[in-house]
Amino acid sequence: MPRVRVLSTGGTIASTDGDGGATPSKDGDDLVAAVPELEDVAALEVESVCDELSFHLSASNVASLARAVERAAEDGVDGVVVTHGTDTMEESSYYLDLVSDADVPVVFTGAQRPADMAGADGPANLLQAVRTAADERFTEGAYIAFGNLVHAARWVTKARAGRPEAYASPDSGPVAELTADGISLRRDPRSESVSLPATELTARVEMIPSGLAVDARQLERAVDDGVDGLVLAASGIGNTTPAIGDAVADAVDAGVPVVVATRCFDGAVSARYGGPGGSRTVREHGTIPAGDLPPWKARIKLGLALSAYDEREAVRTAFEEQLGVPTTE
């Protein structure tokens, strides 16, 4: 029987209601004990990494999770499941996909409904995640198993705030689907991120949104405060307001790397429009295009790249080496 280690971090899946609202009250052993069917899928081991709602997690917490995955792989497990809050699960899973060289699949899961709520979805999601981690076709990479779909960490996003069908992969679609006959693959499971030689995120990166009539004060304050890098959540294919576009030029001249991502649900940035703040003009200022990576993931990648490399060209190369939308061929 496959060995699977469950790493618990808290989140809604471990939460019950209380006077101050839902908070984590169940540990990993409790979660596993609530799903007796798991005994037929894998030999489980449980380890607690932390006990937090995901919007409380720090970069240090996620680095500790990465180290726990490495230990599990060294111990010879066949797969790892991470129970995690849904709000930042896509960021933590992408972080792991970037930094982990473990030759085991790392499957994140969680719940939209607390454990003591009628219709709680945590048990079914945990069973799906363990089945995925125990499947011999999954040998590496980070995934989110949720609502009968398995998504690659590189592409997945939380598309729905409260509904049980929380996640989608707008550009690529899911890797697999859990059906009545088992896990049906849509494409070969693998890591779909280019690894970075870092575990700790030590660089400070600010995310700056652009939108109707947004001025440059937030960006300028970040540069004055000594930020290590900036990610623009730009409109459309990478356009900003004229004020932000001009401030970007000053930031790049000051030696601050600036990555441009689109705030759109899918699609990539492209250098098309001229004039102040236009995507071509912003590119000509020396910014780094994020391609189809969303701003919140571009922030993780830029922070880890700046933590790993001293040379700015190496940081740019890290974004240029991103993998494109996968095919089923």
Side-chain angles (χ1 to χ4, degrees), residues 90-156:
E90 66 193 90
E91 291 162 86
S92 293
S93 62
Y94 182 57
Y95 189 122
L96 265 291
D97 209 32
L98 287 171
V99 306
S100 177
D101 292 324
D103 291 328
V104 295
V106 182
V107 185
F108 283 70
T109 197
Q112 290 283 69
R113 297 167 178 157
D116 60 346
M117 185 177 179
D121 52 331
N125 286 335
L126 179 57
L127 180 58
Q128 179 194 348
V130 172
R131 283 175 171 164
T132 303
D135 191 311
E136 63 183 10
R137 295 171 295 177
F138 286 78
T139 60
E140 62 166 7
Y143 308 88
I144 289 179
F146 209 101
N148 290 341
L149 295 175
V150 181
H151 299 272
R154 163 65 176 83
W155 305 100
V156 68

Side-chain angles (χ1 to χ4, degrees), residues 193-215:
S193 302
V194 178
S195 297
L196 290 171
T199 299
E200 304 284 343
L201 198 164
T202 58
R204 178 184 156 211
V205 175
E206 294 278 340
M207 188 165 62
I208 308 295
S210 184
L212 180 66
V214 175
D215 63 31

Side-chain angles (χ1 to χ4, degrees), residues 5-324:
R5 186 167 298 177
V6 177
L7 303 176
S8 63
T9 68
T12 298
I13 191 172
S15 293
T16 53
D17 202 12
D19 293 339
T23 54
S25 62
K26 295 182 178 292
D27 60 20
D29 289 314
D30 295 327
L31 300 180
V32 168
V35 191
E37 297 94 332
L38 292 172
E39 296 180 358
D40 299 326
V41 179
L44 295 183
E45 308 162 10
V46 180
E47 177 183 338
S48 175
V49 176
C50 60
D51 190 28
E52 299 284 356
L53 294 165
S54 68
F55 51 86
H56 290 171
L57 290 175
S58 65
S60 177
N61 289 140
V62 184
S64 295
L65 178 59
R67 289 190 291 270
V69 168
E70 296 295 333
R71 289 194 303 271
E74 291 169 0
D75 288 344
V77 303
D78 297 292
V80 173
V81 167
V82 179
T83 59
H84 194 288
T86 59
D87 280 4
T88 62
M89 190 188 296
E90 66 193 90
E91 291 162 86
S92 293
S93 62
Y94 182 57
Y95 189 122
L96 265 291
D97 209 32
L98 287 171
V99 306
S100 177
D101 292 324
D103 291 328
V104 295
V106 182
V107 185
F108 283 70
T109 197
Q112 290 283 69
R113 297 167 178 157
D116 60 346
M117 185 177 179
D121 52 331
N125 286 335
L126 179 57
L127 180 58
Q128 179 194 348
V130 172
R131 283 175 171 164
T132 303
D135 191 311
E136 63 183 10
R137 295 171 295 177
F138 286 78
T139 60
E140 62 166 7
Y143 308 88
I144 289 179
F146 209 101
N148 290 341
L149 295 175
V150 181
H151 299 272
R154 163 65 176 83
W155 305 100
V156 68
T157 190
K158 187 173 182 184
R160 301 169 188 90
R163 286 168 50 190
E165 307 85 1
Y167 292 96
S169 296
D171 284 304
S172 71
V175 173
E177 180 178 1
L178 180 63
T179 71
D181 295 323
I183 296 175
S184 175
L185 295 183
R186 304 277 182 88
R187 61 179 182 273
D188 289 338
R190 61 181 176 85
S191 173
E192 295 181 358
S193 302
V194 178
S195 297
L196 290 171
T199 299
E200 304 284 343
L201 198 164
T202 58
R204 178 184 156 211
V205 175
E206 294 278 340
M207 188 165 62
I208 308 295
S210 184
L212 180 66
V214 175
D215 63 31
R217 284 177 290 182
Q218 183 180 351
L219 191 155
E220 292 167 346
R221 283 195 296 266
V223 173
D224 290 343
D225 197 37
V227 72
D228 297 305
L230 294 168
V231 171
L232 294 184
S235 57
I237 60 172
N239 305 303
T240 72
T241 61
I244 288 180
D246 291 343
V248 163
D250 294 337
V252 173
D253 287 344
V256 179
V258 180
V259 170
V260 180
T262 176
R263 69 185 196 187
C264 295
F265 192 60
D266 64 13
V269 295
S270 177
R272 178 184 298 167
Y273 296 101
S279 56
R280 176 176 293 183
T281 305
V282 171
R283 183 81 58 88
E284 290 171 349
H285 289 330
T287 60
I288 301 170
D292 49 18
L293 198 65
W296 43 95
K297 289 186 180 178
R299 176 177 167 268
I300 297 295
K301 182 161 190 173
L302 180 57
L304 288 168
L306 289 170
S307 301
Y309 303 123
D310 293 327
E311 297 296 326
R312 291 296 181 258
E313 279 309 305
V315 174
R316 179 180 292 274
T317 298
F319 279 86
E320 291 173 349
E321 291 179 343
Q322 285 184 156
L323 301 180

